[in-house]
Amino acid sequence: MKILIVEDEPGILNFLKQGLEEESFTVITAEDGQTGLSLALSTPFDLILLDWMLPNLSGIEFCRQFRLQNTETPIIFLTAKDTTA
């Protein structure tokens, strides 16, 4: 299974990457929304772990743009926010 993690906090990104790789997943990472979107549109992934608040392109806007071209890949949002507003 190939997973894309789009997360700008290095500690969280490395923690997730290491844990998933230890379980034999293939993990590709991006630290901003625009880079993540480019990767997601050019490479097939089985799952995307997506931070809500990202530099260059928010997780919400990433999802909107990605869904215009791909409706199959599951996306799980990560956030430290305590509300959806």
Side-chain angles (χ1 to χ4, degrees):
M1 178 178 258
K2 186 186 280 189
I3 300 173
L4 173 62
I5 304 173
V6 187
E7 170 61 63
D8 64 324
E9 291 291 328
I12 296 170
L13 179 64
N14 292 331
F15 176 78
L16 291 170
K17 184 177 190 301
Q18 181 180 353
L20 291 167
E21 287 178 338
E22 286 176 4
E23 296 297 323
S24 300
F25 293 104
T26 300
V27 179
I28 307 298
T29 64
E31 295 182 11
D32 67 83
Q34 191 59 56
T35 301
L37 181 60
S38 295
L39 285 167
L41 292 174
S42 65
T43 307
F45 289 96
D46 299 299
L47 175 67
I48 298 171
L49 297 178
L50 181 61
D51 188 13
W52 185 288
M53 296 183 297
L54 292 165
N56 300 326
L57 186 71
S58 72
I60 294 295
E61 189 56 32
F62 172 114
C63 188
R64 283 187 188 121
Q65 292 183 30
F66 184 69
R67 285 291 179 234
L68 291 174
Q69 298 183 47
N70 183 313
T71 58
E72 299 295 319
T73 305
I75 296 173
I76 297 175
F77 271 98
L78 307 172
T79 185
K81 293 175 64 88
D82 60 357
T83 67
T84 57

Coordinates of all heavy atoms in Angstrom, one line a residue:
M1 N 0.8 -1.2 0.0 CA 0.0 0.0 0.0 C 0.9 1.2 0.0 O 1.8 1.3 0.8 CB -0.9 0.0 1.2 CG -1.8 1.2 1.3 SD -2.9 1.2 2.7 CE -4.4 0.7 1.9
K2 N 0.6 2.2 -0.9 CA 1.4 3.4 -1.0 C 0.5 4.6 -0.4 O -0.6 4.8 -0.8 CB 1.7 3.7 -2.4 CG 2.6 4.9 -2.6 CD 2.8 5.3 -4.1 CE 3.8 4.4 -4.7 NZ 4.1 4.9 -6.1
I3 N 1.2 5.3 0.6 CA 0.5 6.3 1.3 C 1.3 7.6 1.1 O 2.5 7.7 1.2 CB 0.4 6.0 2.8 CG1 -0.3 4.7 3.0 CG2 -0.2 7.2 3.6 CD1 -0.3 4.2 4.5
L4 N 0.5 8.7 0.9 CA 1.0 10.1 0.8 C 0.7 10.8 2.1 O -0.5 10.8 2.5 CB 0.5 10.8 -0.4 CG 0.8 12.3 -0.5 CD1 2.3 12.5 -0.6 CD2 0.0 13.0 -1.6
I5 N 1.7 11.3 2.8 CA 1.5 12.1 4.0 C 1.8 13.6 3.6 O 2.9 13.8 3.2 CB 2.4 11.7 5.2 CG1 2.1 10.2 5.5 CG2 2.1 12.6 6.4 CD1 3.1 9.7 6.6
V6 N 0.9 14.5 3.8 CA 1.1 15.9 3.6 C 1.0 16.6 4.9 O -0.2 16.7 5.4 CB 0.1 16.5 2.5 CG1 0.5 17.9 2.2 CG2 0.1 15.6 1.3
E7 N 2.1 17.0 5.5 CA 2.1 17.5 6.9 C 3.3 18.4 7.0 O 4.4 18.1 6.5 CB 2.3 16.3 7.8 CG 2.6 16.7 9.3 CD 1.5 17.5 9.9 OE1 0.4 17.1 10.1 OE2 1.9 18.7 10.3
D8 N 3.1 19.6 7.5 CA 4.2 20.6 7.6 C 5.0 20.6 8.9 O 6.0 21.2 9.1 CB 3.7 22.0 7.3 CG 2.7 22.5 8.3 OD1 1.9 21.7 8.8 OD2 2.7 23.7 8.6
E9 N 4.5 19.9 9.9 CA 5.2 19.7 11.2 C 6.2 18.6 11.1 O 5.7 17.4 11.1 CB 4.2 19.6 12.3 CG 3.4 20.8 12.6 CD 4.2 21.9 13.2 OE1 5.2 21.7 13.9 OE2 3.9 23.1 12.9
P10 N 7.5 18.8 11.1 CA 8.5 17.7 11.0 C 8.3 16.6 12.0 O 8.5 15.4 11.6 CB 9.8 18.4 11.1 CG 9.6 19.8 10.8 CD 8.2 20.1 11.2
G11 N 8.1 16.9 13.2 CA 7.9 15.9 14.2 C 6.8 14.9 14.0 O 6.9 13.7 14.1
I12 N 5.6 15.5 13.6 CA 4.4 14.7 13.3 C 4.7 13.9 12.0 O 4.4 12.7 11.9 CB 3.2 15.6 13.1 CG1 2.9 16.2 14.5 CG2 2.0 14.7 12.6 CD1 1.8 17.3 14.4
L13 N 5.2 14.5 11.0 CA 5.5 13.9 9.7 C 6.5 12.7 9.9 O 6.2 11.6 9.4 CB 6.2 14.9 8.7 CG 6.5 14.3 7.4 CD1 5.3 13.9 6.6 CD2 7.3 15.4 6.6
N14 N 7.5 12.9 10.6 CA 8.5 11.8 10.8 C 7.9 10.6 11.7 O 8.2 9.5 11.4 CB 9.8 12.3 11.5 CG 10.5 13.2 10.5 OD1 10.5 13.0 9.3 ND2 11.3 14.2 11.1
F15 N 7.1 11.0 12.7 CA 6.5 10.0 13.5 C 5.5 9.1 12.7 O 5.6 7.9 12.8 CB 5.7 10.7 14.6 CG 4.9 9.8 15.5 CD1 5.5 9.0 16.5 CD2 3.5 9.6 15.3 CE1 4.7 8.1 17.3 CE2 2.8 8.8 16.1 CZ 3.4 8.0 17.1
L16 N 4.7 9.7 11.9 CA 3.8 9.0 11.0 C 4.5 8.1 10.0 O 4.2 6.9 9.8 CB 2.8 9.9 10.3 CG 1.8 10.6 11.2 CD1 1.1 11.7 10.4 CD2 0.8 9.7 11.8
K17 N 5.5 8.7 9.4 CA 6.3 8.0 8.3 C 6.9 6.8 8.9 O 6.9 5.7 8.4 CB 7.3 9.0 7.7 CG 8.1 8.4 6.6 CD 9.0 9.4 6.0 CE 9.7 9.0 4.7 NZ 10.5 7.8 4.7
Q18 N 7.6 7.0 10.0 CA 8.3 5.9 10.6 C 7.4 4.7 11.0 O 7.6 3.6 10.8 CB 9.1 6.3 11.9 CG 9.9 5.2 12.6 CD 10.7 5.7 13.8 OE1 10.7 6.9 14.0 NE2 11.2 4.8 14.5
G19 N 6.3 5.1 11.7 CA 5.3 4.1 12.1 C 4.7 3.3 11.0 O 4.6 2.1 11.0
L20 N 4.4 4.0 9.9 CA 3.8 3.3 8.7 C 4.8 2.5 8.0 O 4.5 1.4 7.5 CB 3.2 4.3 7.8 CG 1.9 5.0 8.4 CD1 1.5 6.2 7.5 CD2 0.8 4.0 8.4
E21 N 6.1 3.0 7.9 CA 7.1 2.2 7.2 C 7.4 0.9 8.1 O 7.7 -0.1 7.5 CB 8.3 3.0 7.0 CG 8.2 4.0 5.9 CD 9.4 4.9 5.7 OE1 10.2 5.1 6.6 OE2 9.4 5.5 4.5
E22 N 7.4 1.0 9.4 CA 7.6 -0.2 10.2 C 6.6 -1.2 10.0 O 6.8 -2.4 10.2 CB 7.7 0.2 11.7 CG 8.9 0.9 12.1 CD 8.9 1.4 13.5 OE1 8.0 1.2 14.3 OE2 9.9 2.1 13.9
E23 N 5.4 -0.8 9.5 CA 4.3 -1.8 9.2 C 4.3 -2.1 7.7 O 3.4 -2.7 7.2 CB 3.0 -1.2 9.6 CG 2.8 -0.9 11.0 CD 2.8 -2.2 11.9 OE1 2.3 -3.3 11.4 OE2 3.4 -2.2 13.0
S24 N 5.4 -1.8 7.0 CA 5.7 -2.2 5.6 C 4.9 -1.4 4.6 O 4.7 -1.9 3.5 CB 5.5 -3.7 5.4 OG 6.4 -4.4 6.3
F25 N 4.4 -0.3 4.9 CA 3.8 0.6 3.9 C 4.8 1.4 3.2 O 5.9 1.7 3.8 CB 2.8 1.6 4.6 CG 1.6 0.9 5.2 CD1 1.5 0.7 6.6 CD2 0.6 0.4 4.4 CE1 0.4 0.1 7.2 CE2 -0.6 -0.2 5.0 CZ -0.6 -0.4 6.4
T26 N 4.6 1.7 2.0 CA 5.4 2.6 1.2 C 4.9 4.0 1.5 O 3.7 4.3 1.3 CB 5.3 2.3 -0.3 OG1 5.8 1.0 -0.5 CG2 6.2 3.3 -1.1
V27 N 5.8 4.9 1.9 CA 5.3 6.3 2.4 C 6.1 7.3 1.6 O 7.3 7.3 1.5 CB 5.5 6.5 3.9 CG1 5.1 7.9 4.3 CG2 4.8 5.4 4.7
I28 N 5.4 8.2 1.0 CA 5.9 9.4 0.3 C 5.4 10.6 1.1 O 4.3 10.6 1.6 CB 5.4 9.5 -1.2 CG1 5.7 8.2 -1.9 CG2 6.0 10.7 -1.9 CD1 7.1 7.8 -2.0
T29 N 6.2 11.6 1.3 CA 5.8 12.8 2.1 C 6.0 14.1 1.3 O 6.8 14.2 0.4 CB 6.7 12.9 3.3 OG1 8.1 13.1 3.0 CG2 6.6 11.6 4.2
A30 N 5.2 15.1 1.7 CA 5.3 16.5 1.3 C 5.0 17.4 2.5 O 4.3 17.0 3.3 CB 4.3 16.7 0.2
E31 N 5.7 18.5 2.5 CA 5.6 19.4 3.6 C 4.8 20.7 3.3 O 4.7 21.5 4.2 CB 7.0 19.8 4.1 CG 7.8 18.6 4.6 CD 9.2 19.0 5.1 OE1 9.5 20.2 5.3 OE2 9.9 18.0 5.4
D32 N 4.2 20.7 2.1 CA 3.3 21.8 1.9 C 2.2 21.3 0.9 O 2.3 20.3 0.2 CB 4.0 23.1 1.3 CG 4.6 22.8 -0.1 OD1 3.8 22.9 -1.1 OD2 5.8 22.5 -0.2
G33 N 1.1 22.1 0.9 CA -0.1 21.6 0.1 C 0.2 21.6 -1.4 O -0.3 20.6 -2.1
Q34 N 0.9 22.5 -2.0 CA 1.1 22.5 -3.4 C 1.9 21.4 -3.9 O 1.6 20.7 -4.8 CB 1.7 23.9 -3.8 CG 1.7 24.0 -5.3 CD 0.3 24.0 -5.9 OE1 -0.6 24.8 -5.5 NE2 0.1 23.1 -6.9
T35 N 3.0 21.1 -3.1 CA 3.9 19.9 -3.5 C 3.1 18.6 -3.3 O 3.1 17.7 -4.1 CB 5.1 19.9 -2.5 OG1 5.8 21.1 -2.7 CG2 6.0 18.7 -2.9
G36 N 2.3 18.5 -2.2 CA 1.5 17.4 -2.0 C 0.5 17.1 -3.1 O 0.3 16.0 -3.6
L37 N -0.2 18.2 -3.5 CA -1.2 18.1 -4.6 C -0.5 17.6 -5.9 O -1.0 16.8 -6.6 CB -1.9 19.4 -4.8 CG -3.0 19.4 -5.9 CD1 -4.1 18.4 -5.6 CD2 -3.6 20.8 -6.1
S38 N 0.7 18.2 -6.2 CA 1.4 17.8 -7.4 C 1.7 16.3 -7.4 O 1.5 15.6 -8.4 CB 2.7 18.6 -7.6 OG 2.4 19.9 -7.8
L39 N 2.2 15.8 -6.2 CA 2.5 14.4 -6.1 C 1.2 13.5 -6.2 O 1.2 12.5 -6.9 CB 3.1 14.1 -4.7 CG 4.6 14.5 -4.5 CD1 4.9 14.5 -3.1 CD2 5.4 13.6 -5.3
A40 N 0.1 14.0 -5.5 CA -1.1 13.2 -5.6 C -1.7 13.1 -7.0 O -2.3 12.1 -7.3 CB -2.1 13.9 -4.6
L41 N -1.5 14.2 -7.8 CA -2.1 14.1 -9.1 C -1.2 13.4 -10.1 O -1.7 13.0 -11.2 CB -2.4 15.6 -9.6 CG -3.5 16.3 -8.9 CD1 -3.5 17.8 -9.3 CD2 -4.8 15.6 -9.1
S42 N 0.0 13.2 -9.8 CA 1.0 12.5 -10.7 C 1.3 11.1 -10.4 O 1.8 10.4 -11.2 CB 2.3 13.3 -10.8 OG 2.9 13.3 -9.6
T43 N 0.9 10.7 -9.2 CA 1.3 9.3 -8.7 C 0.0 8.7 -8.0 O -0.6 9.4 -7.2 CB 2.4 9.4 -7.6 OG1 3.5 10.1 -8.2 CG2 2.9 8.0 -7.2
P44 N -0.3 7.5 -8.4 CA -1.4 6.8 -7.7 C -1.1 6.4 -6.2 O 0.0 5.8 -6.0 CB -1.7 5.6 -8.5 CG -0.4 5.3 -9.3 CD 0.3 6.6 -9.4
F45 N -1.9 6.8 -5.3 CA -1.8 6.5 -3.9 C -3.0 5.7 -3.5 O -4.1 5.9 -4.0 CB -1.6 7.7 -3.1 CG -0.3 8.4 -3.2 CD1 -0.1 9.5 -4.1 CD2 0.9 7.9 -2.6 CE1 1.1 10.1 -4.3 CE2 2.1 8.5 -2.7 CZ 2.2 9.6 -3.6
D46 N -2.8 4.8 -2.5 CA -3.9 4.1 -1.9 C -4.6 4.9 -0.8 O -5.8 4.6 -0.5 CB -3.4 2.8 -1.3 CG -2.8 1.9 -2.4 OD1 -3.5 1.5 -3.4 OD2 -1.6 1.6 -2.4
L47 N -3.9 5.8 -0.2 CA -4.4 6.6 0.9 C -3.6 7.9 1.0 O -2.4 7.9 0.7 CB -4.3 5.9 2.2 CG -4.7 6.6 3.5 CD1 -6.2 6.9 3.5 CD2 -4.3 5.8 4.7
I48 N -4.3 9.0 1.3 CA -3.6 10.3 1.6 C -4.0 10.7 3.0 O -5.1 10.8 3.4 CB -4.1 11.4 0.6 CG1 -3.7 11.0 -0.8 CG2 -3.5 12.7 1.0 CD1 -4.3 11.9 -1.9
L49 N -2.9 11.0 3.8 CA -3.1 11.6 5.1 C -2.8 13.0 5.0 O -1.6 13.4 4.6 CB -2.1 10.9 6.2 CG -2.3 9.5 6.4 CD1 -1.3 9.0 7.4 CD2 -3.7 9.2 7.0
L50 N -3.7 13.9 5.2 CA -3.6 15.3 4.9 C -3.9 16.2 6.0 O -4.9 16.2 6.7 CB -4.7 15.6 3.8 CG -4.8 17.0 3.2 CD1 -3.5 17.4 2.5 CD2 -6.0 17.0 2.2
D51 N -2.9 17.1 6.3 CA -3.0 18.1 7.3 C -4.0 19.2 6.9 O -4.1 19.5 5.7 CB -1.7 18.7 7.6 CG -1.7 19.7 8.8 OD1 -2.7 19.7 9.6 OD2 -0.7 20.4 9.0
W52 N -4.8 19.7 7.8 CA -5.8 20.7 7.5 C -5.1 22.0 7.2 O -5.5 22.7 6.2 CB -6.7 20.8 8.7 CG -7.9 21.7 8.6 CD1 -7.9 23.1 8.5 CD2 -9.3 21.4 8.5 NE1 -9.1 23.6 8.4 CE2 -10.0 22.5 8.4 CE3 -9.9 20.1 8.5 CZ2 -11.4 22.5 8.3 CZ3 -11.3 20.1 8.5 CH2 -12.0 21.3 8.4
M53 N -4.2 22.4 8.0 CA -3.5 23.7 7.8 C -2.1 23.5 7.3 O -1.2 23.0 8.0 CB -3.5 24.5 9.2 CG -4.9 24.8 9.7 SD -4.9 25.7 11.2 CE -4.1 24.6 12.4
L54 N -1.9 23.9 6.0 CA -0.6 23.7 5.4 C -0.2 25.0 4.7 O -1.0 25.8 4.3 CB -0.8 22.7 4.2 CG -1.0 21.3 4.7 CD1 -1.5 20.4 3.5 CD2 0.2 20.7 5.2
P55 N 1.1 25.2 4.5 CA 1.6 26.4 3.8 C 1.3 26.1 2.3 O 1.3 25.0 1.8 CB 3.1 26.4 4.1 CG 3.5 25.1 4.6 CD 2.2 24.4 5.1
N56 N 1.2 27.2 1.5 CA 1.1 27.3 0.1 C -0.3 26.9 -0.4 O -0.7 27.4 -1.5 CB 2.2 26.5 -0.6 CG 3.6 27.0 -0.3 OD1 3.8 28.2 -0.2 ND2 4.5 26.1 -0.3
L57 N -0.9 25.9 0.2 CA -2.3 25.5 -0.2 C -2.9 24.7 1.0 O -2.3 23.7 1.4 CB -2.1 24.5 -1.4 CG -3.4 24.1 -2.1 CD1 -4.1 25.2 -2.8 CD2 -3.1 23.0 -3.1
S58 N -4.0 25.2 1.5 CA -4.6 24.5 2.6 C -5.0 23.1 2.3 O -5.2 22.7 1.1 CB -5.8 25.3 3.1 OG -6.9 25.1 2.2
G59 N -5.2 22.3 3.3 CA -5.7 20.9 3.2 C -7.1 20.9 2.5 O -7.4 20.0 1.7
I60 N -7.9 21.9 2.9 CA -9.3 21.9 2.3 C -9.2 22.2 0.8 O -9.8 21.6 0.0 CB -10.1 23.0 3.0 CG1 -10.4 22.6 4.5 CG2 -11.4 23.2 2.3 CD1 -11.2 21.3 4.6
E61 N -8.3 23.2 0.4 CA -8.2 23.5 -1.0 C -7.5 22.4 -1.8 O -7.9 22.1 -2.9 CB -7.4 24.8 -1.2 CG -7.5 25.3 -2.6 CD -8.9 25.5 -3.2 OE1 -9.8 25.9 -2.5 OE2 -9.0 25.3 -4.4
F62 N -6.6 21.7 -1.1 CA -5.9 20.5 -1.7 C -7.0 19.5 -2.1 O -7.1 19.0 -3.2 CB -4.9 19.9 -0.7 CG -4.4 18.6 -1.1 CD1 -3.0 18.5 -1.4 CD2 -5.1 17.5 -1.1 CE1 -2.5 17.3 -1.7 CE2 -4.6 16.2 -1.4 CZ -3.2 16.1 -1.7
C63 N -7.9 19.2 -1.1 CA -9.0 18.3 -1.3 C -9.9 18.7 -2.4 O -10.3 17.8 -3.2 CB -9.7 18.1 0.1 SG -10.9 16.7 0.0
R64 N -10.3 19.9 -2.4 CA -11.2 20.4 -3.5 C -10.6 20.2 -4.9 O -11.3 19.6 -5.8 CB -11.5 21.9 -3.3 CG -12.5 22.2 -2.2 CD -12.9 23.6 -2.2 NE -13.7 23.9 -1.1 CZ -13.4 24.8 -0.1 NH1 -12.3 25.5 -0.2 NH2 -14.2 25.0 0.9
Q65 N -9.4 20.6 -5.0 CA -8.7 20.5 -6.3 C -8.5 19.0 -6.7 O -8.6 18.6 -7.8 CB -7.4 21.2 -6.3 CG -7.6 22.7 -6.3 CD -6.3 23.5 -6.4 OE1 -5.3 23.1 -7.0 NE2 -6.3 24.7 -5.7
F66 N -8.1 18.2 -5.7 CA -7.8 16.8 -5.9 C -9.1 16.1 -6.3 O -9.1 15.3 -7.3 CB -7.2 16.2 -4.7 CG -6.8 14.7 -4.9 CD1 -5.7 14.4 -5.7 CD2 -7.5 13.7 -4.2 CE1 -5.4 13.0 -5.9 CE2 -7.1 12.4 -4.4 CZ -6.1 12.0 -5.2
R67 N -10.2 16.4 -5.7 CA -11.4 15.7 -5.9 C -12.0 16.0 -7.3 O -12.8 15.2 -7.9 CB -12.5 16.0 -4.9 CG -12.2 15.2 -3.6 CD -12.4 13.8 -3.8 NE -12.2 13.0 -2.5 CZ -11.3 12.0 -2.4 NH1 -10.7 11.6 -3.5 NH2 -11.2 11.4 -1.3
L68 N -11.6 17.1 -7.9 CA -12.0 17.4 -9.3 C -11.5 16.4 -10.3 O -12.1 16.2 -11.3 CB -11.6 18.8 -9.7 CG -12.3 20.0 -8.9 CD1 -11.7 21.3 -9.3 CD2 -13.8 20.0 -9.3
Q69 N -10.4 15.8 -9.9 CA -9.7 14.8 -10.8 C -9.7 13.4 -10.3 O -9.4 12.5 -11.1 CB -8.3 15.3 -11.1 CG -8.3 16.7 -11.8 CD -6.9 17.1 -12.2 OE1 -6.1 16.3 -12.7 NE2 -6.6 18.3 -11.9
N70 N -9.9 13.2 -9.0 CA -9.8 11.9 -8.4 C -10.8 11.7 -7.3 O -10.8 12.4 -6.3 CB -8.4 11.7 -7.9 CG -8.2 10.3 -7.3 OD1 -9.0 9.8 -6.6 ND2 -7.1 9.6 -7.7
T71 N -11.8 10.8 -7.6 CA -12.8 10.6 -6.5 C -12.7 9.3 -5.8 O -13.5 9.0 -4.9 CB -14.2 10.7 -7.2 OG1 -14.3 9.7 -8.2 CG2 -14.5 12.0 -7.8
E72 N -11.6 8.6 -6.1 CA -11.5 7.2 -5.6 C -10.6 7.2 -4.3 O -10.8 6.4 -3.4 CB -10.9 6.3 -6.6 CG -11.8 6.2 -7.9 CD -13.1 5.5 -7.5 OE1 -13.2 4.5 -6.7 OE2 -14.2 6.0 -8.0
T73 N -9.5 7.9 -4.3 CA -8.5 7.8 -3.3 C -9.0 8.3 -2.0 O -9.4 9.5 -1.9 CB -7.2 8.6 -3.7 OG1 -6.7 8.1 -4.9 CG2 -6.1 8.4 -2.6
P74 N -9.0 7.5 -0.9 CA -9.4 7.9 0.4 C -8.5 9.0 1.0 O -7.3 8.9 0.8 CB -9.4 6.7 1.3 CG -9.2 5.5 0.4 CD -8.6 6.1 -0.9
I75 N -9.0 10.0 1.7 CA -8.3 11.0 2.3 C -8.7 11.1 3.8 O -9.9 11.1 4.1 CB -8.5 12.4 1.7 CG1 -8.1 12.4 0.2 CG2 -7.8 13.5 2.5 CD1 -8.4 13.7 -0.5
I76 N -7.7 11.0 4.7 CA -7.9 11.2 6.1 C -7.3 12.5 6.5 O -6.1 12.7 6.3 CB -7.3 10.1 6.9 CG1 -8.0 8.7 6.6 CG2 -7.4 10.3 8.4 CD1 -7.4 7.5 7.2
F77 N -8.1 13.4 7.1 CA -7.6 14.7 7.5 C -7.0 14.6 8.9 O -7.5 13.9 9.8 CB -8.7 15.8 7.6 CG -8.9 16.5 6.3 CD1 -9.9 16.1 5.4 CD2 -8.1 17.6 5.9 CE1 -10.1 16.8 4.2 CE2 -8.3 18.3 4.8 CZ -9.3 17.9 3.9
L78 N -5.8 15.3 9.1 CA -5.2 15.5 10.4 C -5.3 16.9 10.7 O -5.1 17.8 9.9 CB -3.7 15.1 10.3 CG -3.4 13.7 9.7 CD1 -1.9 13.6 9.4 CD2 -3.8 12.6 10.6
T79 N -5.6 17.2 12.0 CA -5.7 18.6 12.4 C -5.6 18.7 13.9 O -5.9 17.8 14.7 CB -7.0 19.2 12.0 OG1 -7.0 20.6 12.3 CG2 -8.2 18.6 12.6
A80 N -5.0 19.8 14.3 CA -5.0 20.2 15.8 C -6.1 21.1 16.1 O -6.3 21.5 17.2 CB -3.6 20.8 16.1
K81 N -6.9 21.5 15.1 CA -8.0 22.4 15.3 C -9.1 21.7 16.2 O -9.3 20.5 16.1 CB -8.7 22.8 14.0 CG -7.8 23.7 13.1 CD -8.4 24.0 11.8 CE -9.7 24.7 11.8 NZ -9.6 26.2 11.8
D82 N -9.8 22.5 17.0 CA -10.8 21.9 17.8 C -12.2 22.2 17.3 O -13.2 21.9 17.9 CB -10.7 22.4 19.3 CG -10.7 23.9 19.4 OD1 -10.9 24.6 18.4 OD2 -10.7 24.3 20.6
T83 N -12.3 22.9 16.2 CA -13.6 23.2 15.5 C -13.4 23.0 14.0 O -12.3 23.0 13.5 CB -14.2 24.6 15.8 OG1 -13.3 25.5 15.2 CG2 -14.3 24.8 17.3
T84 N -14.5 22.9 13.3 CA -14.4 22.9 11.8 C -14.5 24.2 11.2 O -14.5 24.3 9.9 CB -15.5 21.9 11.2 OG1 -16.8 22.5 11.7 CG2 -15.4 20.5 11.7
A85 N -14.7 25.3 11.9 CA -14.9 26.6 11.4 C -13.5 27.3 11.2 O -12.5 26.9 11.7 CB -15.7 27.5 12.3

